[in-house]
Amino acid sequence: MSKAKYTFLTIFLLSYMALLGYNEGNKQNIESMDQAGSLKFLALGDSYTIGESVSENDRWPVQLATALNQSGISMAPPEIIATTGWTTDELQKGIEKAFPKPPYDLVSLLIGVNNQYRGRSLDEYKKQFEALLAQAISFADGKAEKVFVVSIPDYGVTPFATDRNPEKIGKEIDAFNKAAEAISEKFGVAFVNITPGSKEAANDPELVANDGLHPSGKMYTQWVSKILPVVESMIK
């Protein structure tokens, strides 16, 4: 091979390798931008957050992420730490086992119905809820404005509670929510009250899942309609 041909081939190969390197690096940059552009959402709770008796797409955190994306806010699929039946202390243990990876751009907390259902004291709830809320804020890089609390729905209006003293359930749920709202205000955290809307299930069976207790996807959609503007203002 002549010296000229060898030089040409060398330049060609070096240029080609450089082009490949540029394309690969550019691809990695695009992927990094995509990842960096998607906000991280952590949802903490119980059956209402994991969406007992509804499909994954009907869960309110999933519906919220979808709605945010549709409104132009790039949101990754939510990370959910929640299990049906969890009380405040059980959620705390669940968080410890889940090893979440902060910081998150958005964190939600909805917990307490099982404390009420099991007859646990309001004072215990206040103490444990406050600790959970402080932890939620720490997951949001210490920024309370990135955290929101969702009130406990009134399951006293569901078929499940027909013979379980619905009036007593409603009053106790209201007391738990009042405590959660006061603690949220203390920490400077947004509190979204979906409880009045949950009471509509008394007259609309479609708002209740097939198990006769938990919210349906339709009710979760109503929740998201109240949560969405709050979260949009938090993010923007």
Side-chain angles (χ1 to χ4, degrees), residues 24 112 125 203:
E24 183 62 25
Y125 174 72
N203 301 311

Side-chain angles (χ1 to χ4, degrees), residues 73-195:
I73 298 173
S74 182
M75 180 68 64
E79 297 177 39
I80 299 177
I81 301 178
T83 295
T84 298
W86 270 358
T87 53
T88 43
D89 56 323
E90 290 167 342
L91 172 57
Q92 179 62 62
K93 293 175 182 176
I95 292 172
E96 293 170 1
K97 292 180 180 179
F99 296 107
K101 297 178 180 179
Y104 292 90
D105 302 286
L106 189 66
V107 182
S108 67
L109 178 62
L110 166 50
I111 192 72
V113 69
N114 295 296
N115 291 66
Q116 181 278 330
Y117 180 72
R118 298 189 200 175
R120 305 270 281 267
S121 74
L122 183 58
D123 287 339
E124 177 192 64
Y125 174 72
K126 290 178 181 178
K127 181 179 179 180
Q128 294 178 356
F129 181 86
E130 185 165 329
L132 284 167
L133 189 55
Q135 188 171 32
I137 294 171
S138 73
F139 288 151
D141 202 23
K143 299 177 181 178
E145 64 271 20
K146 292 185 176 183
V147 180
F148 67 97
V149 170
V150 179
S151 68
I152 306 166
D154 182 3
Y155 72 91
V157 301
T158 66
F160 171 85
T162 301
D163 58 352
R164 297 173 184 267
N165 199 338
E167 185 176 351
K168 178 175 180 289
I169 291 171
K171 287 181 179 179
E172 291 180 352
I173 292 293
D174 287 344
F176 274 67
N177 279 328
K178 185 177 180 179
E181 184 172 16
I183 294 169
S184 298
E185 183 176 351
K186 172 184 174 182
F187 280 86
V189 169
F191 183 86
V192 185
N193 187 9
I194 55 81
T195 309

Side-chain angles (χ1 to χ4, degrees), residues 12-66:
F12 174 79
L13 289 174
L14 288 173
S15 299
Y16 182 71
M17 290 173 67
L19 181 61
L20 285 178
Y22 171 79
N23 286 337
E24 183 62 25
N26 195 43
K27 178 182 178 183
Q28 291 176 354
N29 287 338
I30 291 172
E31 290 175 350
S32 297
M33 288 172 64
D34 288 342
Q35 292 173 2
S38 294
L39 303 180
K40 293 173 60 180
F41 173 24
L42 176 65
L44 307 172
D46 50 36
S47 60
Y48 295 131
T49 297
I50 198 61
E52 178 70 24
S53 297
V54 300
S55 69
E56 181 176 344
N57 288 337
D58 278 336
R59 296 170 177 171
W60 74 259
V62 175
Q63 289 197 50
L64 177 62
T66 299

Side-chain angles (χ1 to χ4, degrees), residues 52-55 159-160 205-217:
E52 178 70 24
S53 297
V54 300
S55 69
F160 171 85
E206 292 186 359
L207 295 177
V208 183
N210 291 333
D211 63 6
L213 170 60
H214 292 93
S216 65

